[in-house]
Amino acid sequence: MPKDTGRRREGPGRRSVEPVPGPARRPLWRRIVRGVLIWGTALALLAAIFLGTAVFMTARELPSFSSLQSSQNGQMIVVRARDGTELVSIGPSYGQWLPYERIPNVMKDAIVSVEDRRFREHPGVDPLGIARSVMVRVEKGRWRQGGSTITQQLARTIFLNNSRTFGRKIREGVLALAIERKFSKDEVLELYLNKVYFGGGAYGIDAASRKFFGHPATELSTAEAAIIAGLVKAPSNYSPTADVDAAKNRGKVVLSQMAKAGVISYADADSIDLDAVKIAKEKGQNSVRYFTDWALPQLDVLLPDTDEPIEVWTTLDTGMQRAATQAIDGNVPKGAQGALVSLDGDGAVRAMVGGTDYVNSNYNRATQAMRQPGSAWKLFVYLAALEAGYTPDDRVVDEPVTIQGWSPHNSGRTFAGEIDVRTAFAYSKNTVAASLGNEVGFGTVASMARRFGITTPVATNPSMVLGTSEVRVIDMTRAFAAISAGGTAIEPYGIVKVTTTKGELLYQHKVQAGQVLVPPHVAAGITDLLQSAVATGTGRAAQIGRPVAGKTGTTSSNKDGWFLGFSSGITTGVWMGRDDARPVPGLQGGHAPASAFAAFMRTAVKGRPVKPFDTELKLPEWQLEPDDEQMSGSPEDYYYTDDNGNLIQPGGAGRRRPDEGPSRYEDGSVGPGTPPGGDPEQGGAPAAAGDDFLEQATGRQRQDDPALRRAPPPPGGYRPGSNPQQPVRIVPQPRPTTSPAYGQ
């Protein structure tokens, strides 16, 4: 029977048994706490195992220290001037890598004090810092204080991004623990100070020091180190080049933190004068950027794909660039823009200004804008005329003219009558240019412009001779440079060579001989005209005390003003106008662009020898008068050609020279070239040429002969509509190589 464990209680009609008390039952809250502790410990242990495994695996996969040293984000391009001076650094700049031992102690102390005071104590993630950040979050209602350590920031810089997500923070923490497992504290700090972003494209303290203070990081003072250390929190807000006051105020906070950390005394923190720190002027935010914006895209063609940092050595001359900027700023009319391109004899771009202020407008008016050149376009009209047979001394008539219903007029609405070609060009006679363009053909003028490097569309209507087709400044400058080179094509270029930062050559520019565009006598003739335009014509404001050849250009209502010219091997083109193409007071006659040209060229040619122009016309044989050909023999030897190039004699076609005998056809008959008097082989004597023929052949016509008033023929014969039986009479008159205006 079961044992009775209770006491019986007697009562009326029955017996009761009273239970004996056992162990006390635990309260519910204790059981909950116990469960949480057990499960929390288990989960924590499991998480620790996972975390340890993740850290171990991540540490194994981390790159080596040397690999992290050489890795970088994006390509750095250092652009250098002709003399090696650094013009601008494009993309991220990394400066020189500084080993831990070479990093100034003040820089180490400053960054640790303000970013991670417990850097030497935590394993990569600081629990106290995280707790402090959470408390601030609870008190302020938002995140005001970050809990990231230096190691976490390094992990974010190298491997992650700045997205504010919980997942990214977890990965950041794992990476930080792995980094500290693989690298020492000194190595972590070395990586951080050489890789963290300090603003302005500068990665690492050396790049930041050079950018903001103009010297290497090894020379940093305590004040400068405090300013750099203060940038990490918000590089764009505290950049010395963007807001110097904000940068210095942040530097004071860093000095205070350094004093709290005990690395400097409070007295030292108060005595350091941050206002005495000299901030280096930011490079590249000036007219130089117009040039680099034009030149650097060419690297895509010149170089193979590469991400390594490179140095680009350019043709730009810093002194000439400063002079170009000052020339535009000092002469451009109020409210207008200006552009300038200057080329050396081989096509090297020595200066380029694309506007009055790159910061406000980076639109490059020297290489991108298309504007009407006005009378500067007459370069191509007169080139076509000279190639067709005209010379600077030939007579033309400045008179009213109508071509296909279009009637041009001169700027003063007056006409000079009969003048020579040189005068017509020097005083920019529109009627003469229109007549010449109509005579040689508007298509011929357009073809000449194309030949000299005009890449924009060219119209072929009559008004095109006055510069109604839009062009680029660099193309027009290129055309004038070809004239300076004696009629040889010039190709503008801006990059001389490209190297790696270690000195390895990646590209070298090779100078190639240019194509001959026009014969030498045409180049000499147009140079004569251009020199006259500056010496006595519309371009007098461009005189600089030495020979200058050039041409002004203005458009209707003075919307555009030009001057293009050359001297001593330097060719420069200047344009002025408004972007909205509204009229600009002060551009009349191209005086302002010519003045800017002169102001610039005085610096550009300084130190170069005075170079007189070759304006002597060495005419081709077809254009010479017989006496100039120095032919021997009697007057009967003179002959001329028809439209097809056949030799002509008086009274017949196909005349042969007397010493060549008669001309015969294939059937053996004597041709029309047989002189009167019979076949010489049969004893007949050749007849002497008559006076009429000699006067016609040699050009010794009567002064009242209307045939005198004509223009010379084009190469290979005569102009359409002229008399093919009428010989050419062009008397070459060599011009002096220097203009009397220069004295020498």
Side-chain angles (χ1 to χ4, degrees):
M1 293 182 63
K3 184 178 179 182
D4 187 1
T5 58
R7 294 194 297 265
R8 293 181 179 170
R9 182 174 298 173
E10 298 288 338
R14 63 178 181 143
R15 293 179 63 190
S16 62
V17 179
E18 183 178 349
V20 178
R25 189 178 181 89
R26 294 184 181 87
L28 179 61
W29 67 270
R30 288 189 176 182
R31 284 181 288 164
I32 293 175
V33 170
R34 182 184 181 194
V36 169
L37 290 175
I38 294 174
W39 284 105
T41 302
L43 290 175
L45 182 60
L46 187 61
I49 294 173
F50 278 115
L51 179 61
T53 303
V55 170
F56 176 77
M57 297 300 296
T58 302
R60 289 187 57 185
E61 295 176 359
L62 286 176
S64 64
F65 188 82
S66 58
S67 297
L68 292 177
Q69 278 183 304
S70 60
S71 64
Q72 59 188 33
N73 300 323
Q75 184 181 31
M76 179 187 68
I77 302 177
V78 177
V79 184
R80 298 193 179 279
R82 180 186 183 187
D83 59 359
T85 304
E86 181 178 332
L87 295 175
V88 64
S89 180
I90 307 296
S93 174
Y94 292 91
Q96 183 180 358
W97 186 276
L98 296 181
Y100 182 83
E101 297 77 15
R102 294 190 59 200
I103 299 174
N105 288 329
V106 290
M107 187 68 247
K108 301 173 191 174
D109 293 338
I111 203 72
V112 169
S113 298
V114 74
E115 289 298 321
D116 188 3
R117 199 184 305 174
R118 286 172 36 82
F119 171 70
R120 297 286 177 179
E121 302 168 13
H122 61 68
V125 176
D126 187 5
L128 294 180
I130 295 174
R132 185 169 55 250
S133 177
V134 171
M135 290 178 62
V136 173
R137 169 70 174 84
V138 173
E139 292 176 0
K140 304 295 184 182
R142 56 176 177 162
W143 296 106
R144 295 287 301 272
Q145 180 175 342
S148 296
T149 64
I150 282 178
T151 315
Q152 286 177 270
Q153 294 179 43
L154 176 64
R156 185 190 317 149
T157 298
I158 299 177
F159 302 108
L160 302 173
N161 53 43
N162 290 322
S163 63
R164 295 177 175 272
T165 63
F166 186 73
R168 195 269 295 168
K169 292 295 291 184
I170 294 294
R171 293 194 300 274
E172 179 185 291
V174 172
L175 280 167
L177 293 171
I179 288 172
E180 294 238 1
R181 173 182 172 83
K182 186 165 186 174
F183 306 120
S184 67
K185 288 287 185 179
D186 290 352
E187 289 175 328
V188 171
L189 193 56
E190 178 182 334
L191 286 170
Y192 180 85
L193 289 174
N194 282 283
K195 280 188 169 293
V196 74
Y197 182 59
F198 290 100
Y203 286 81
I205 57 172
D206 190 62
S209 178
R210 293 175 187 273
K211 179 177 181 62
F212 300 129
F213 308 123
H215 59 71
T218 52
E219 302 173 10
L220 283 171
S221 66
T222 303
E224 293 171 339
I227 291 176
I228 289 182
L231 296 175
V232 177
K233 181 178 181 180
S236 59
N237 294 340
Y238 300 124
S239 172
T241 54
D243 190 338
V244 64
D245 292 332
K248 291 179 178 179
N249 289 335
R250 176 62 178 167
K252 293 178 181 178
V253 174
V254 175
L255 292 175
S256 174
Q257 292 298 317
M258 293 175 70
K260 288 181 180 180
V263 294
I264 61 173
S265 66
Y266 283 97
D268 290 339
D270 293 335
S271 64
I272 294 175
D273 184 10
L274 292 175
D275 292 330
V277 175
K278 295 182 179 180
I279 306 299
K281 293 183 178 180
E282 189 171 11
K283 298 179 180 179
Q285 299 304 318
N286 51 36
S287 65
V288 169
R289 289 301 302 272
Y290 289 115
F291 170 77
T292 58
D293 287 353
W294 169 76
L296 293 184
Q298 301 170 26
L299 294 175
D300 294 337
V301 178
L302 302 178
L303 297 181
D305 291 338
T306 177
D307 291 330
E308 62 181 322
I310 59 175
E311 294 188 352
V312 180
W313 299 73
T314 69
T315 59
L316 202 74
D317 186 291
T318 53
M320 293 172 67
Q321 182 66 24
R322 285 192 297 270
T325 303
Q326 293 169 1
I328 293 296
D329 292 344
N331 292 278
V332 67
K334 184 178 180 180
Q337 282 286 350
L340 181 150
V341 175
S342 185
L343 305 177
D344 213 330
D346 63 344
V349 177
R350 298 303 184 201
M352 178 181 288
V353 177
T356 56
D357 190 337
Y358 180 86
V359 175
N360 291 333
S361 174
N362 60 11
Y363 179 60
N364 194 336
R365 297 156 188 84
T367 61
Q368 295 175 282
M370 296 190 298
R371 303 299 290 253
Q372 292 182 345
S375 293
W377 183 264
K378 292 174 183 175
L379 172 78
F380 308 116
V381 178
Y382 281 81
L383 274 171
L386 291 171
E387 190 174 62
Y390 278 91
T391 69
D393 293 312
D394 284 338
R395 309 298 290 179
V396 290
V397 181
D398 176 22
E399 60 185 359
V401 61
T402 299
I403 303 171
Q404 300 177 22
W406 173 65
S407 300
H409 57 80
N410 298 320
S411 59
R413 296 185 180 272
T414 60
F415 304 97
E418 184 174 323
I419 55 178
D420 59 22
V421 170
R422 183 180 296 104
T423 302
F425 185 86
Y427 290 94
S428 200
K429 296 296 184 179
N430 292 337
T431 57
V432 175
S435 297
L436 291 175
N438 184 49
E439 186 173 347
V440 301
F442 304 118
T444 302
V445 176
S447 177
M448 183 65 72
R450 282 272 183 263
R451 196 190 307 177
F452 273 78
I454 299 302
T455 59
T456 47
V458 179
T460 55
N461 55 300
S463 63
M464 63 90 70
V465 298
L466 302 186
T468 56
S469 298
E470 294 182 332
V471 294
R472 297 183 178 93
V473 177
I474 192 170
D475 287 347
M476 287 295 291
T477 308
R478 175 187 183 184
F480 277 76
I483 301 300
S484 176
T488 303
I490 294 297
E491 184 69 31
Y493 71 98
I495 297 177
V496 177
K497 67 177 180 178
V498 181
T499 66
T500 65
T501 53
K502 298 178 181 178
E504 179 186 355
L505 184 65
L506 300 178
Y507 166 78
Q508 180 76 52
H509 176 76
K510 296 180 181 179
V511 178
Q512 298 180 350
Q515 178 184 0
V516 176
L517 302 177
V518 291
H521 76 278
V522 174
I526 197 67
T527 302
D528 184 339
L529 302 184
L530 291 168
Q531 181 177 238
S532 298
V534 176
T536 61
T538 58
R540 290 189 294 271
Q543 295 177 4
I544 59 173
R546 63 171 67 195
V548 174
K551 185 72 180 76
T552 55
T554 53
T555 60
S556 60
S557 303
N558 299 312
K559 296 176 182 178
D560 301 274
W562 296 73
F563 187 86
L564 302 109
F566 49 87
S567 178
S568 301
I570 295 292
T571 303
T572 301
V574 178
W575 167 87
M576 293 180 183
R578 289 177 60 98
D579 291 335
D580 57 9
R582 292 170 57 187
V584 179
L587 286 185
Q588 294 88 341
H591 181 81
S595 299
F597 171 91
F600 167 74
M601 289 293 284
R602 290 189 186 98
T603 298
V605 301
K606 187 178 181 180
R608 293 191 176 215
V610 176
K611 185 178 180 181
F613 298 125
D614 181 10
T615 57
E616 182 177 355
L617 296 186
K618 300 176 182 178
L619 298 176
E621 185 174 298
W622 68 266
Q623 202 172 342
L624 292 175
E625 192 175 1
D627 288 344
D628 298 315
E629 297 180 57
Q630 299 180 356
M631 297 177 61
S632 59
S634 63
E636 299 94 353
D637 293 343
Y638 296 142
Y639 60 94
Y640 56 98
T641 63
D642 62 13
D643 284 337
N644 298 318
N646 299 316
L647 301 181
I648 303 298
Q649 72 154 24
R655 179 179 187 269
R656 297 176 65 81
R657 292 178 54 163
D659 58 345
E660 295 178 316
S663 60
R664 297 179 181 273
Y665 296 110
E666 293 182 0
D667 60 2
S669 61
V670 178
T674 304
D679 189 338
E681 293 182 6
Q682 303 299 323
D691 291 341
D692 291 341
F693 168 70
L694 291 178
E695 288 180 358
Q696 185 182 23
T698 61
R700 300 188 184 95
Q701 297 155 302
R702 297 185 306 275
Q703 293 302 314
D704 59 348
D705 191 337
L708 277 174
R709 297 185 66 182
R710 71 190 189 287
Y718 298 83
R719 297 183 306 280
S722 64
N723 182 5
Q725 299 295 326
Q726 183 171 298
V728 180
R729 182 176 188 270
I730 300 178
V731 181
Q733 299 181 13
R735 297 285 298 162
T737 57
T738 58
S739 170
Y742 302 116
Q744 317 229 0

